[in-house]
Amino acid sequence: MTISFGLLGAGRIGKTHATAILGIPGTKLSAVYDPIDAAADHIVQMSGARRASVEEILADKSIDAVLICTPTDMHADQIELAAKAGKAIFCEKPVDLSADRVRACLKTVDATKAKLVIGFNRRFDINFAAARARIDAGDIGSVELVQITSRDPGPPPVDYIKRSGGLFLDMMIHDFDMARFLLGHDEIIGVTATGSVLVDPAIGAAGDVDTATATLRTKSGKIAVITNSRRATYGYDQRIEVHGSKGAVSAANVHNNTVTLANKEGYHDAPLLDFFMERYAAAYRTELQSFVKAITTGSEITPTGLDGLKALELADAAVKSMQSKTEITVSI
Amino acid sequence: MTISFGLLGAGRIGKTHATAILGIPGTKLSAVYDPIDAAADHIVQMSGARRASVEEILADKSIDAVLICTPTDMHADQIELAAKAGKAIFCEKPVDLSADRVRACLKTVDATKAKLVIGFNRRFDINFAAARARIDAGDIGSVELVQITSRDPGPPPVDYIKRSGGLFLDMMIHDFDMARFLLGHDEIIGVTATGSVLVDPAIGAAGDVDTATATLRTKSGKIAVITNSRRATYGYDQRIEVHGSKGAVSAANVHNNTVTLANKEGYHDAPLLDFFMERYAAAYRTELQSFVKAITTGSEITPTGLDGLKALELADAAVKSMQSKTEITVSI
Amino acid sequence: MTISFGLLGAGRIGKTHATAILGIPGTKLSAVYDPIDAAADHIVQMSGARRASVEEILADKSIDAVLICTPTDMHADQIELAAKAGKAIFCEKPVDLSADRVRACLKTVDATKAKLVIGFNRRFDINFAAARARIDAGDIGSVELVQITSRDPGPPPVDYIKRSGGLFLDMMIHDFDMARFLLGHDEIIGVTATGSVLVDPAIGAAGDVDTATATLRTKSGKIAVITNSRRATYGYDQRIEVHGSKGAVSAANVHNNTVTLANKEGYHDAPLLDFFMERYAAAYRTELQSFVKAITTGSEITPTGLDGLKALELADAAVKSMQSKTEITVSI
Amino acid sequence: MTISFGLLGAGRIGKTHATAILGIPGTKLSAVYDPIDAAADHIVQMSGARRASVEEILADKSIDAVLICTPTDMHADQIELAAKAGKAIFCEKPVDLSADRVRACLKTVDATKAKLVIGFNRRFDINFAAARARIDAGDIGSVELVQITSRDPGPPPVDYIKRSGGLFLDMMIHDFDMARFLLGHDEIIGVTATGSVLVDPAIGAAGDVDTATATLRTKSGKIAVITNSRRATYGYDQRIEVHGSKGAVSAANVHNNTVTLANKEGYHDAPLLDFFMERYAAAYRTELQSFVKAITTGSEITPTGLDGLKALELADAAVKSMQSKTEITVSI
């Protein structure tokens, strides 16, 4: 059996997923949709897929699954259409910037029993997955304190920021999902956040912050702390640490190489991989492999639409907390 | 010129300082006060100091400086008496558990122009001091985000906790001072904190928490995040990291040794030094050297009584924030 | 222009190179030779190449280059045939176990002006290449002392060892090439080596050693030290270090992930990548890209047939030194 | 019982030992000999010891032990005199530059049953001792391959080099002892060495080398490789690594502090401690504590005079090997 994919959206992330599909045995990319000729043609050329409209792709019974990589404001509509068309769905995060819209969308997904996976790729990073495996194995005992450090090499264009939903919905949403991934089944009940404009005043002028932290509290008292910056001169800084009753587990950064220069000024190591396409290259492949496996074997879908919703709710709560300077209660 | 010291309190920390004095050229320990015979006698024997009452020590014109290492509730009174007696004063933290009492005490100190140093020993740790030197040298540009991780190997006895003032005043107070040390001259205006009882229910029964985090916000928007746990199975975990516009500086932990074992399970390094007497052994000596230098050369007193007060105010704010689940404003 | 490849030998390494070719733009795999049906068919299926005899491949004017991945004793003959057929040649190391045979073969290559690259893949490892780049940039000044540590996870089957030429020709030959790569243009004039049977007596019974070291001395007095073991419980141990007048550069190992577990026994990191297919996966791709570039742009061929010969001569000298317990002189 | 010490030689290392004695409970420094007034007076002032001649010290029945820190050419004579006078003896390495003279000296020591310890301080370094403890615990199984890297920050004055006996007897002798320490009870039977003048031509003009390596082979085939350089721009480079059947153990260098700066050029750590007085400060104290313990409790004397002799024989063999370009056999 070969799983046939349709790709909706052939931008940077769409191209990444298309490339990953080519490398997964038992899959093929059959069709690609993108309004921009150059983007669609590039995929056609590299994969042999045909170019098609969203409607054609959804109507094609030979296509088993869609990869939704369009702009965020199209995600929810396309998920609903794909669900009704009986496709398995892989959708980039976030499902929508509005939690209400996400809830409505997930109702449709539930009603159609469609398989929906949200692209929280970091869960599939070999390092973070290995950290989680340590936790699952009981190596640190009971989880108590999660620390997540996430810094981009540099800020995106202000135009992007304006339609991104802001740092908490655009950037920290990954860390909210990571916090839930590391905290296990203990749901978060309180969110406190603060943010500042320290990197670029233009970000502040656009109504956003560029440096932020959030503290999450679970029902049983576990605590997670997230810090974000839109700029790190030394590369893409992505670290997690989980402290528990029997020990602590951490996943360190990935450097460009393992070379050290020693001289009279000291010891010098390489900067970090520059950004997510490099750091998470393997994770993008692994998450699609996991999706393909879920389709073919019926194995667990992860992360689910509910995971997408939960992360969004935490992001919303963080924004409110930053504004009100109080802890915001989150419904479980 | 030899600086002559009187030691008030010959417990563990008093003994540490007495030992340090013996190793500093140009100093001598002349007298020791402690109500417990064994404690005082031990100091007498190791140093040749005579045993004396507080009053005798303060009245002895040949004694230049006192080291106040008595229980916390005696600190403020003894500072005032020593200041009036014209002594230079080194006092263990905190000056008092009540910020009002500290303010009153500092007025007396100011009035007498006494030299008063507070024992925030971590400022003198070679690693933290080197990190601060990097910041002062402009190596990371403008400070934006400070992260402080501080975990004790294990909780103190519950009896100690009951009279300690609680985690924020007893343990995190060091981290509040470290945050101020690393943030530079940008004073903190907002404190948000949360805490949980995850290590030992008896700590909760005593009205305290054992796992906590605080987020500090400065006037210009810099952010500092502190996390504390009363237990770390792998040793005394003391790390700082400061992120700035041009880079980041961090100070890592100190392991028992530099040995690594590699075997089929992986690579294995030694645990951390077990606790503060080992980790900060050199820092205790350096802070006394700094005090002696301030006495003999008139060099800057650091950390000052005001530093002690500021850390206490932050701790008080953290307690209030944890209780109210809101950010607490701190006066500059 | 598309470079068309013929693959001679479709075993493990042949398959690795075939896969790499698929991922290099501007190339295609046109034909594959292997006497074993399953091996050849696998390549045919994954690449669309046709199956053919060596003679057919060499006679096919549309094929630009061959990848020689057959058993060692066929290499020299096939290089000569391919050179005469006007193909660019990529040949796995070693060219032959006999230096005389290699010299004869290289004469043919020279006479035909064929482009010949030897598969010393480690030169293309991102870490070793970055170390070499540091040296080329003058960062360590003049090279003085090279240290190469190379340990396999476990010994190959004794049957393999019997026809391998022994540890120095089979395993350390990579390190001899690496030593030359790191020493620069200063040729080696003296080789001293010793070896022991410590891992498996069966290796000794087969006339080989499993633990060995060699010391190389260059004309100007630079020194290189290589240590090898056929077994390392913690993975594939591949490190280099170069000490120079201004500093030292080293390339560390690659672990399975960046996760550290801290518990009361200490800090625990992952083992190393298990073996060369994982550790050098990217290097295999990069060396083929370099070969393709040399074909298409006329850029420098590296490593050359002469590099292959030099490494073999050093291996021969090491064997003689181990037997005679004296330094063996190597002609430049 | 208080152990009373006499110090012979109050230079740099003598002063180090005198300071260490002051910090060891149950000991006192009673007398000091040095022909140079300033050196002797310094010790008198810091310790309260009286100044005396060698004869007076040896004749003083109240003195239990002597620390021989005089120039090397006085060591053997003073050991013999002290042994005959019934003193316990701590002697700096080497006992003498002539192995024959050492053998004669050790005969006297044996005849008098004097306790003699040789100052191979590195055995007491916390890191190397912990590595050895791992080996003794069986953590790496059977030892197979020892690698010792030893580089000084910079060369000593050429005048020193001229009377030092040369790199192998002056510098590598420590590494020969370390190799024996790590190899356990398997004695070395073959030594191969080479050396070059790469750091300073003046060292070559003085008849010595400044960069060298030695390979040691034991009776059972274990191998040890030592590399030395008289210069390392990044500090005092002292590392060991031992590879065995079940794993490997290594002891890394000691940096000035644990601070890392990350910026766009990468990650930057502090240089190493500059030289042996800093790196081995604690080891000097520990070796004297071990000596004091051996005197007071009759615990094992280590390292013994025989250890001193063995290291010297290896150094002599290395010199011969470098000259003859052959392996030199060493009697067990």
Side-chain angles (χ1 to χ4, degrees):
Chain A
M1 174 196 178
T2 294
I3 304 293
S4 172
F5 278 91
L7 174 66
L8 311 189
R12 183 168 59 172
I13 192 67
K15 190 182 155 192
T16 297
H17 290 313
T19 306
I21 286 293
L22 297 182
I24 301 176
T27 68
K28 66 173 175 180
L29 187 64
S30 301
V32 56
Y33 157 76
D34 198 292
I36 299 169
D37 289 351
D41 289 351
H42 183 92
I43 301 291
V44 167
Q45 200 161 353
M46 72 179 261
S47 68
R50 72 177 188 280
R51 194 169 171 188
S53 70
V54 173
E55 294 69 29
E56 287 165 348
I57 288 171
L58 296 181
D60 184 341
K61 294 298 180 196
S62 75
I63 290 179
D64 304 291
V66 293
L67 304 172
I68 302 179
C69 305
T70 47
T72 297
D73 56 8
M74 298 181 178
H75 287 182
D77 290 351
Q78 293 175 344
I79 287 173
E80 289 174 338
L81 290 169
K84 288 172 185 165
K87 308 300 185 200
I89 307 159
F90 176 98
C91 183
E92 273 303 311
K93 65 94 214 170
V95 172
D96 196 274
L97 294 181
S98 154
D100 285 341
R101 181 67 189 93
V102 177
R103 278 183 209 103
C105 177
L106 294 187
K107 271 189 192 161
T108 303
V109 172
D110 282 352
T112 60
K113 297 192 195 305
K115 293 185 179 187
L116 169 63
V117 167
I118 306 302
F120 284 125
N121 57 296
R122 293 184 198 174
R123 289 188 179 212
F124 298 94
D125 175 67
I126 194 170
N127 306 305
F128 298 151
R132 165 72 184 261
R134 283 287 202 185
I135 297 168
D136 289 347
D139 288 344
I140 65 163
S142 174
V143 169
E144 294 170 358
L145 197 46
V146 171
Q147 291 174 254
I148 299 174
T149 301
S150 181
R151 299 172 191 155
D152 288 350
V158 170
D159 272 357
Y160 172 88
I161 281 178
K162 282 177 184 164
R163 52 194 163 74
S164 71
L167 180 144
F168 292 102
L169 274 81
D170 175 58
M171 180 176 176
M172 201 183 280
I173 196 166
H174 275 292
D175 304 305
F176 289 127
D177 184 64
M178 183 53 58
R180 291 184 66 249
F181 181 63
L182 296 171
L183 284 166
H185 297 293
D186 192 17
E187 284 295 343
I188 292 156
I189 59 168
V191 177
T192 315
T194 190
S196 293
V197 180
L198 300 171
V199 173
D200 186 353
I203 294 174
D208 199 5
V209 295
D210 52 37
T211 306
T213 181
T215 302
L216 314 177
R217 201 162 50 82
T218 73
K219 204 175 170 186
S220 74
K222 298 181 204 313
I223 297 170
V225 177
I226 299 167
T227 61
N228 273 190
S229 172
R230 283 286 195 185
R231 181 244 297 113
T233 59
Y234 48 89
Y236 188 38
D237 188 356
Q238 298 274 294
R239 285 170 285 157
I240 59 112
E241 176 175 335
V242 187
H243 184 245
S245 56
K246 290 185 183 167
V249 66
S250 58
N253 276 309
V254 180
H255 292 252
N256 279 306
N257 57 56
T258 66
V259 169
T260 300
L261 173 70
N263 59 20
K264 65 186 160 60
E265 281 78 33
Y267 281 68
H268 313 282
D269 293 341
L272 306 181
L273 293 182
D274 197 51
F275 211 10
F276 61 93
M277 301 300 282
E278 290 77 33
R279 167 65 190 264
Y280 294 123
Y284 283 119
R285 290 193 296 270
T286 310
E287 74 173 345
L288 276 191
Q289 284 165 343
S290 164
F291 179 50
V292 169
K293 194 180 165 203
I295 297 172
T296 52
T297 70
S299 65
E300 191 194 6
I301 288 283
T302 174
T304 65
L306 188 62
D307 290 323
L309 177 60
K310 286 285 183 191
L312 185 63
E313 289 174 343
L314 294 174
D316 281 345
V319 172
K320 279 183 204 145
S321 173
M322 178 173 63
Q323 291 163 347
S324 66
K325 297 191 191 311
T326 61
E327 185 183 85
I328 302 300
T329 302
V330 182
S331 61
I332 300 183
Chain B
M1 174 198 180
T2 294
I3 304 293
S4 172
F5 278 91
L7 174 66
L8 312 188
R12 183 169 58 171
I13 193 67
K15 189 181 157 192
T16 296
H17 290 314
T19 306
I21 287 293
L22 297 182
I24 302 176
T27 68
K28 66 174 176 180
L29 187 64
S30 301
V32 54
Y33 157 76
D34 199 290
I36 299 170
D37 290 351
D41 289 352
H42 183 92
I43 302 291
V44 166
Q45 199 161 354
M46 71 179 259
S47 68
R50 73 177 188 281
R51 194 169 172 189
S53 69
V54 173
E55 294 69 29
E56 286 164 349
I57 289 171
L58 297 180
D60 184 341
K61 295 297 178 193
S62 75
I63 290 178
D64 304 290
V66 292
L67 304 171
I68 302 180
C69 304
T70 47
T72 296
D73 57 7
M74 297 181 178
H75 288 181
D77 290 351
Q78 291 175 344
I79 287 173
E80 291 174 337
L81 290 169
K84 288 172 186 166
K87 309 301 184 198
I89 306 160
F90 177 98
C91 183
E92 273 304 310
K93 65 94 213 168
V95 172
D96 196 274
L97 295 181
S98 155
D100 285 342
R101 181 68 189 90
V102 176
R103 279 182 209 105
C105 177
L106 295 187
K107 271 189 192 161
T108 302
V109 171
D110 282 352
T112 58
K113 297 192 195 304
K115 294 185 179 186
L116 169 64
V117 168
I118 306 301
F120 284 124
N121 56 296
R122 293 184 197 174
R123 291 190 177 211
F124 299 93
D125 175 66
I126 194 169
N127 306 304
F128 298 150
R132 163 72 185 260
R134 283 286 202 185
I135 298 169
D136 289 347
D139 289 343
I140 65 164
S142 174
V143 169
E144 294 170 359
L145 197 47
V146 171
Q147 291 174 255
I148 299 173
T149 301
S150 180
R151 299 172 192 154
D152 288 349
V158 170
D159 271 357
Y160 173 88
I161 282 178
K162 282 177 185 168
R163 54 195 162 72
S164 70
L167 180 145
F168 292 101
L169 275 83
D170 174 57
M171 179 178 176
M172 201 182 279
I173 198 166
H174 275 293
D175 304 304
F176 289 126
D177 184 64
M178 183 54 56
R180 293 183 67 249
F181 181 62
L182 297 171
L183 284 166
H185 296 294
D186 193 17
E187 284 296 343
I188 292 156
I189 60 167
V191 177
T192 316
T194 191
S196 293
V197 179
L198 299 170
V199 174
D200 186 353
I203 294 174
D208 199 5
V209 294
D210 51 39
T211 306
T213 181
T215 302
L216 313 178
R217 202 163 48 82
T218 73
K219 204 175 171 185
S220 74
K222 299 181 203 314
I223 297 170
V225 177
I226 299 166
T227 60
N228 274 189
S229 172
R230 284 287 195 185
R231 179 245 297 115
T233 58
Y234 46 90
Y236 188 39
D237 188 355
Q238 297 276 296
R239 285 169 285 156
I240 59 112
E241 175 175 336
V242 187
H243 184 245
S245 56
K246 291 187 182 166
V249 66
S250 58
N253 275 311
V254 181
H255 292 252
N256 279 308
N257 57 57
T258 67
V259 169
T260 301
L261 173 70
N263 59 22
K264 66 185 158 63
E265 282 78 32
Y267 282 67
H268 313 281
D269 294 341
L272 306 180
L273 293 181
D274 197 52
F275 211 12
F276 63 94
M277 301 301 282
E278 289 77 33
R279 167 67 190 263
Y280 294 123
Y284 283 119
R285 289 194 295 270
T286 310
E287 73 173 349
L288 276 191
Q289 282 165 344
S290 165
F291 179 50
V292 169
K293 192 179 165 206
I295 297 173
T296 52
T297 71
S299 65
E300 191 195 5
I301 285 284
T302 174
T304 64
L306 188 61
D307 290 321
L309 176 60
K310 286 285 183 191
L312 185 63
E313 289 173 345
L314 294 173
D316 281 345
V319 172
K320 278 182 204 149
S321 174
M322 177 173 64
Q323 289 163 348
S324 66
K325 298 191 191 308
T326 60
E327 184 182 87
I328 301 300
T329 302
V330 181
S331 61
I332 301 183
Chain C
M1 174 197 180
T2 294
I3 304 293
S4 172
F5 278 91
L7 175 66
L8 310 189
R12 183 169 59 173
I13 193 68
K15 190 181 156 193
T16 296
H17 290 313
T19 306
I21 287 293
L22 297 182
I24 301 176
T27 69
K28 65 172 175 181
L29 188 63
S30 301
V32 56
Y33 157 76
D34 199 292
I36 298 170
D37 289 352
D41 289 351
H42 183 92
I43 302 290
V44 167
Q45 200 160 353
M46 71 180 261
S47 68
R50 73 177 189 280
R51 193 171 172 188
S53 69
V54 173
E55 293 69 29
E56 287 165 347
I57 289 172
L58 295 181
D60 183 341
K61 295 296 179 197
S62 74
I63 290 179
D64 304 291
V66 292
L67 303 173
I68 302 180
C69 305
T70 47
T72 297
D73 56 8
M74 298 181 177
H75 287 181
D77 290 351
Q78 292 175 344
I79 287 173
E80 290 174 338
L81 291 170
K84 289 172 185 165
K87 308 300 185 200
I89 307 160
F90 176 99
C91 183
E92 273 304 311
K93 64 95 214 167
V95 173
D96 195 275
L97 295 181
S98 154
D100 285 341
R101 180 69 188 93
V102 176
R103 279 183 208 104
C105 177
L106 294 187
K107 271 189 193 160
T108 303
V109 172
D110 281 353
T112 59
K113 296 193 197 302
K115 294 186 178 186
L116 168 64
V117 167
I118 306 303
F120 285 124
N121 56 295
R122 293 184 197 174
R123 289 188 179 214
F124 299 93
D125 175 66
I126 194 170
N127 306 304
F128 298 151
R132 166 70 186 261
R134 283 287 202 186
I135 297 168
D136 289 348
D139 289 344
I140 65 163
S142 173
V143 169
E144 295 170 357
L145 196 46
V146 171
Q147 291 174 254
I148 299 174
T149 301
S150 181
R151 300 173 192 155
D152 288 349
V158 170
D159 272 356
Y160 173 89
I161 282 178
K162 283 178 183 165
R163 55 196 160 72
S164 70
L167 180 144
F168 292 102
L169 274 82
D170 175 58
M171 180 176 176
M172 201 182 281
I173 196 166
H174 276 293
D175 304 304
F176 289 126
D177 184 64
M178 183 53 57
R180 292 183 65 249
F181 181 64
L182 297 170
L183 284 166
H185 297 293
D186 193 17
E187 285 295 342
I188 292 157
I189 59 167
V191 176
T192 316
T194 191
S196 292
V197 181
L198 299 171
V199 174
D200 185 352
I203 294 174
D208 198 6
V209 295
D210 52 37
T211 305
T213 181
T215 301
L216 314 177
R217 203 163 47 84
T218 73
K219 204 175 170 185
S220 74
K222 298 181 204 314
I223 297 170
V225 176
I226 299 166
T227 61
N228 272 191
S229 171
R230 284 286 195 185
R231 181 244 298 113
T233 59
Y234 47 89
Y236 188 39
D237 188 355
Q238 297 275 295
R239 285 169 284 156
I240 59 112
E241 176 174 335
V242 187
H243 184 245
S245 57
K246 290 186 184 168
V249 66
S250 58
N253 276 310
V254 181
H255 292 252
N256 279 305
N257 57 55
T258 66
V259 168
T260 300
L261 173 70
N263 59 21
K264 65 186 160 61
E265 281 79 32
Y267 282 68
H268 313 281
D269 294 341
L272 306 181
L273 293 182
D274 197 52
F275 211 12
F276 62 93
M277 301 300 283
E278 290 77 33
R279 166 64 190 266
Y280 294 122
Y284 283 119
R285 289 194 295 271
T286 310
E287 74 173 346
L288 276 190
Q289 284 166 343
S290 165
F291 179 50
V292 169
K293 194 180 167 204
I295 297 172
T296 53
T297 70
S299 66
E300 191 194 4
I301 288 283
T302 174
T304 64
L306 188 62
D307 289 323
L309 177 60
K310 286 285 184 191
L312 186 63
E313 288 173 344
L314 294 174
D316 282 345
V319 172
K320 278 183 205 147
S321 173
M322 178 174 63
Q323 290 163 347
S324 66
K325 297 190 192 310
T326 60
E327 184 182 86
I328 302 299
T329 301
V330 182
S331 61
I332 300 184
Chain D
M1 176 197 178
T2 294
I3 304 293
S4 172
F5 278 91
L7 174 66
L8 311 189
R12 183 169 60 171
I13 193 68
K15 190 182 156 192
T16 296
H17 290 313
T19 307
I21 286 293
L22 296 182
I24 302 176
T27 68
K28 65 174 176 180
L29 187 64
S30 301
V32 54
Y33 157 75
D34 199 290
I36 299 170
D37 289 352
D41 289 352
H42 183 91
I43 301 291
V44 166
Q45 201 160 355
M46 72 179 260
S47 68
R50 72 178 189 280
R51 194 169 172 188
S53 69
V54 174
E55 293 69 29
E56 287 165 347
I57 289 171
L58 296 180
D60 184 341
K61 295 295 178 196
S62 74
I63 291 179
D64 304 290
V66 291
L67 303 172
I68 301 180
C69 304
T70 48
T72 296
D73 57 7
M74 298 181 177
H75 287 181
D77 289 352
Q78 291 175 344
I79 287 173
E80 290 174 337
L81 291 170
K84 287 173 186 164
K87 307 302 183 197
I89 307 160
F90 177 99
C91 183
E92 273 304 310
K93 65 94 217 172
V95 172
D96 196 274
L97 294 180
S98 154
D100 285 341
R101 180 70 188 89
V102 177
R103 278 183 210 105
C105 177
L106 294 187
K107 271 191 192 160
T108 302
V109 172
D110 282 352
T112 59
K113 297 191 194 305
K115 294 185 178 187
L116 168 64
V117 167
I118 306 301
F120 284 123
N121 56 294
R122 294 184 196 174
R123 292 189 177 212
F124 298 93
D125 176 66
I126 193 169
N127 306 304
F128 298 150
R132 164 71 186 259
R134 283 287 202 185
I135 297 168
D136 289 347
D139 289 343
I140 65 163
S142 174
V143 168
E144 294 170 359
L145 197 47
V146 170
Q147 291 175 253
I148 299 173
T149 301
S150 180
R151 300 173 192 154
D152 288 349
V158 170
D159 272 358
Y160 172 88
I161 282 178
K162 283 177 182 165
R163 53 196 162 71
S164 71
L167 180 144
F168 292 101
L169 275 83
D170 175 58
M171 179 177 177
M172 201 182 281
I173 197 167
H174 275 293
D175 304 303
F176 289 126
D177 184 63
M178 183 53 58
R180 292 184 66 250
F181 181 62
L182 296 171
L183 284 166
H185 296 295
D186 193 18
E187 284 295 344
I188 292 157
I189 60 167
V191 176
T192 316
T194 190
S196 293
V197 180
L198 299 171
V199 174
D200 186 351
I203 294 174
D208 198 5
V209 294
D210 52 37
T211 306
T213 181
T215 301
L216 313 177
R217 201 164 48 83
T218 73
K219 203 176 173 186
S220 73
K222 299 182 203 315
I223 297 170
V225 177
I226 299 166
T227 61
N228 273 190
S229 172
R230 283 288 195 184
R231 179 246 296 115
T233 59
Y234 46 90
Y236 188 39
D237 188 354
Q238 297 274 295
R239 285 169 285 157
I240 60 112
E241 176 176 335
V242 187
H243 183 246
S245 57
K246 291 186 182 167
V249 66
S250 58
N253 275 311
V254 181
H255 291 252
N256 279 306
N257 57 56
T258 67
V259 169
T260 300
L261 173 70
N263 60 22
K264 65 184 157 63
E265 282 78 32
Y267 282 68
H268 313 281
D269 294 341
L272 305 181
L273 293 181
D274 197 52
F275 212 11
F276 63 93
M277 300 302 280
E278 289 76 33
R279 166 68 190 263
Y280 294 122
Y284 283 120
R285 289 193 295 271
T286 310
E287 73 173 348
L288 276 191
Q289 283 165 344
S290 165
F291 179 51
V292 168
K293 193 179 165 206
I295 297 173
T296 52
T297 70
S299 66
E300 191 195 5
I301 286 285
T302 173
T304 63
L306 187 63
D307 290 321
L309 176 60
K310 287 284 184 190
L312 185 64
E313 288 173 345
L314 293 174
D316 281 346
V319 172
K320 278 183 203 147
S321 173
M322 178 173 65
Q323 290 163 347
S324 65
K325 298 192 192 306
T326 60
E327 184 182 87
I328 302 300
T329 302
V330 182
S331 61
I332 301 183

